[in-house]
Amino acid sequence: MLAKRIIPCLDVKNGRNVRGVKFSADIDAGDPVELATRYDAEGADELVFYDITASSDGRNIVMDLVQQVSERVFIPLCVGGGIRTYDDVRAILKGGADKVSINSAAVLDPQIITRSAESFGSQCIVAAIDALRRPDDGSGAPSWEIYINGGRKATGIDALEWVDELVRRGAGELVLNSIDADGTRDGYDIELNRAVAERVDVPLVASGGAGTTEHIYQVLTEGKASAALAASIFHFQVYSIPEVKTYLSARGVTVRHYEP
Amino acid sequence: MIAIADYGMGNLRSVEKAFQYLGQEAFITEDPAAVRGASHLVLPGDAAFGDAMLNLRAAGWDAAIKDHVASGRPFLGICVGLQLMFATSEEMGLHTGLELFSGRCRRFPAKERVPQIGWNQISMQRPCAILHGIDEGSFFYFVHSYYVETDVPEESVAVTDYGISYTSVAARDNAFGVQFHPEKSQKVGLRLLANFAALK
């Protein structure tokens, strides 16, 4: 049976792993290579490296990290943050990443998804979105707006319509980051995940808000996500990956247990 | 020496790194002629079946692979590399493959999320040299939208469930194919690659 995935995310700035709250205030969370090695030994199902500087220098630092990690860590590695062009996608895949996560660039020019999926296959093209819940308009149906540039710029685009387009253009997987929940440790936006999961057929990675094992359980069951991404609870060792997986197993969720 | 076929498709470096980590000598080559001196040949792949076959034929890889297999030396297809070992595929039109195995590639039924991405289990159907020392029910990392359907039950050595039960490891004599990515499957994946490298 296909296991639900637990994916630690490493937010990288100047070669250090950092963690923000609601897209601001960085806290130093250690050496990324060390962390990646620890997550691998704990049985992470995948690793995401996120360049939060979104600059070309930042990219080089992240790709150096991926190089070092890929010499000894044999799980899928995904790189995101500041991808602007098709050539960026190609360079990252050539540099040893298995997947590329594209966010703002897809909004600015959706062709980047189409072209990358055609060239490299949908399996390595991940589309990430940053979504902010809209105020209740009285209709009772929740809705979300797409933001770009690290959650700083509103686009006016409806999140549910946007995920349809991303999948139609060939994205093989979606990462849904809730701006409301990011860094709060108050729980994932379950409604956002479920609304998207019921709309598209590709796998969904929930992101933003993990604070407890219960939150992860909720988003993988009620939220219908295929995978849960988390940063701070793992970096600061609130929970280890085996603790999360043991909890999920006990509650009937299929996960992969790993002994190094 | 293990040759890894480079026909312009997929992340070959990770396959090379996995063999190097195991202390095996491996090299990536774009030249089918270079395979004549290799003891083992690996065909990775992440691309669409039709494009992959076009590239293989254009560079003369199809003949080199068939010669290698006919010589009795070990051969391993990974992911689309496994699918290419079959006779036909229905991925974006009907395509002819390398025809090392009799059967076809089909798209997953719509009831599951496609592509399948993540860690799934294998259930062993019969003994196989590359699965030596690997536990029944082990998890491997899969990424694919198409699966193989073999006409010869004896050639299906392990199966996986994803809406349907399908062949995830195929083997006949010295020719092996795996639908998952052993180079991305941690300890069990490395064990499988070590088993393959140890074949004479």
Side-chain angles (χ1 to χ4, degrees):
Chain A
M1 199 174 169
L2 184 68
K4 296 282 189 181
R5 284 170 285 157
I6 301 299
I7 307 175
C9 178
L10 294 94
D11 291 334
V12 181
K13 183 181 181 182
N14 306 324
R16 296 292 287 175
N17 185 65
V18 297
R19 189 58 205 150
V21 178
K22 286 202 177 182
F23 291 78
S24 58
D26 298 331
I27 302 162
D28 195 313
D31 172 47
V33 176
E34 215 171 275
L35 264 181
T37 309
R38 185 179 102 210
Y39 293 151
D40 173 58
E42 288 189 353
D45 295 310
E46 210 168 305
L47 289 177
V48 175
F49 294 83
Y50 206 85
D51 165 29
I52 64 164
T53 67
S55 63
S56 54
D57 283 355
R59 168 83 43 71
N60 292 336
I61 291 168
V62 168
M63 290 315 296
D64 275 354
L65 294 174
V66 169
Q67 273 295 336
Q68 288 178 55
V69 170
S70 67
E71 302 290 337
R72 51 189 155 142
V73 167
F74 298 97
I75 57 176
L77 306 176
C78 178
V79 170
I83 282 92
R84 290 187 183 83
T85 65
Y86 170 84
D87 288 336
D88 292 342
V89 174
R90 190 176 53 196
I92 287 168
L93 292 173
K94 268 202 158 314
D98 302 292
K99 304 183 189 186
V100 181
S101 175
I102 304 169
N103 193 329
S104 305
V107 175
L108 300 172
D109 177 16
Q111 270 296 109
I112 188 174
I113 300 285
T114 322
R115 223 182 132 202
S116 301
E118 277 170 5
S119 295
F120 310 113
S122 290
Q123 81 290 335
C124 59
I125 304 303
V126 180
I129 64 164
D130 291 327
L132 186 75
R133 193 177 270 259
R134 285 180 169 134
D136 190 354
D137 61 0
S139 70
S143 74
W144 296 264
E145 181 177 353
I146 296 293
Y147 277 64
I148 56 171
N149 298 348
R152 289 188 296 271
K153 192 177 171 201
T155 65
I157 298 170
D158 178 76
L160 299 182
E161 286 170 20
W162 180 233
V163 295
D164 287 345
E165 174 155 4
L166 290 168
V167 172
R168 196 167 57 239
R169 287 180 175 275
E173 189 166 44
L174 296 175
V175 175
L176 304 184
N177 193 33
S178 158
I179 298 173
D180 307 271
D182 186 73
T184 62
R185 296 196 203 168
D186 290 337
Y188 294 92
D189 186 333
I190 304 294
E191 278 189 319
L192 169 66
N193 281 276
R194 193 173 52 222
V196 173
E198 286 170 353
R199 237 178 135 95
V200 300
D201 290 328
V202 301
L204 212 65
V205 181
S207 165
T212 66
T213 49
E214 169 73 17
H215 293 151
I216 295 175
Y217 172 78
Q218 282 169 349
V219 84
L220 295 176
T221 51
E222 281 171 67
K224 299 189 175 182
S226 308
L229 183 145
S232 58
I233 63 163
F234 294 132
H235 300 335
F236 298 117
Q237 306 194 35
V238 181
Y239 297 102
S240 67
I241 293 164
E243 277 170 339
V244 170
K245 288 191 172 181
T246 302
Y247 176 88
L248 293 171
S249 268
R251 296 199 62 183
V253 177
T254 303
V255 290
R256 180 184 67 109
H257 294 285
Y258 182 68
E259 284 168 32
Chain B
M1 189 76 115
I2 300 163
I4 300 164
D6 181 0
Y7 56 107
M9 304 273 167
N11 184 0
L12 312 177
R13 290 273 297 136
S14 52
V15 177
E16 184 188 33
K17 282 178 182 171
F19 280 119
Q20 286 167 349
Y21 181 84
L22 292 165
Q24 298 289 337
E25 281 187 81
F27 68 103
I28 296 172
T29 178
E30 292 179 10
D31 177 14
V35 173
R36 287 192 209 115
S39 56
H40 297 61
L41 176 58
V42 179
L43 181 68
D46 273 326
F49 190 101
D51 289 348
M53 269 317 291
L54 280 178
N55 281 17
L56 283 179
R57 288 202 186 95
W61 274 110
D62 51 341
I65 290 167
K66 287 177 183 175
D67 286 350
H68 179 91
V69 173
S71 76
R73 286 172 292 165
F75 176 84
L76 177 65
I78 296 175
C79 195
V80 172
L82 159 74
Q83 298 180 2
L84 293 168
M85 296 169 80
F86 279 75
T88 57
S89 171
E90 60 175 33
E91 183 175 357
M92 297 184 235
L94 192 66
H95 305 279
T96 307
L98 293 167
E99 302 179 284
L100 296 169
F101 291 125
S102 175
R104 63 207 61 75
C105 303
R106 312 192 65 167
R107 193 171 169 87
F108 277 126
K111 61 182 170 178
E112 299 291 341
R113 293 189 180 273
V114 179
Q116 172 179 222
I117 298 183
W119 298 77
N120 203 336
Q121 291 168 287
I122 63 166
S123 170
M124 299 186 200
Q125 306 299 298
R126 38 190 66 80
C128 176
I130 61 169
L131 298 176
H132 184 72
I134 292 171
D135 291 338
E136 169 66 18
S138 288
F139 281 94
F140 287 86
Y141 186 76
F142 289 81
V143 185
H144 60 128
S145 301
Y146 291 77
Y147 65 94
V148 296
E149 190 180 75
T150 163
D151 291 336
V152 186
E154 294 71 31
E155 293 174 356
S156 174
V157 298
V159 297
T160 294
D161 284 328
Y162 194 62
I164 47 153
S165 174
Y166 66 94
T167 296
S168 47
V169 183
R172 190 181 64 233
D173 304 328
N174 56 318
F176 303 88
V178 294
Q179 180 60 68
F180 46 80
H181 286 272
E183 78 282 10
K184 290 286 156 190
S185 297
Q186 278 190 309
K187 206 170 57 177
V188 286
L190 293 172
R191 177 64 195 257
L192 185 148
L193 293 176
N195 287 340
F196 173 72
L199 294 173
K200 299 287 179 212

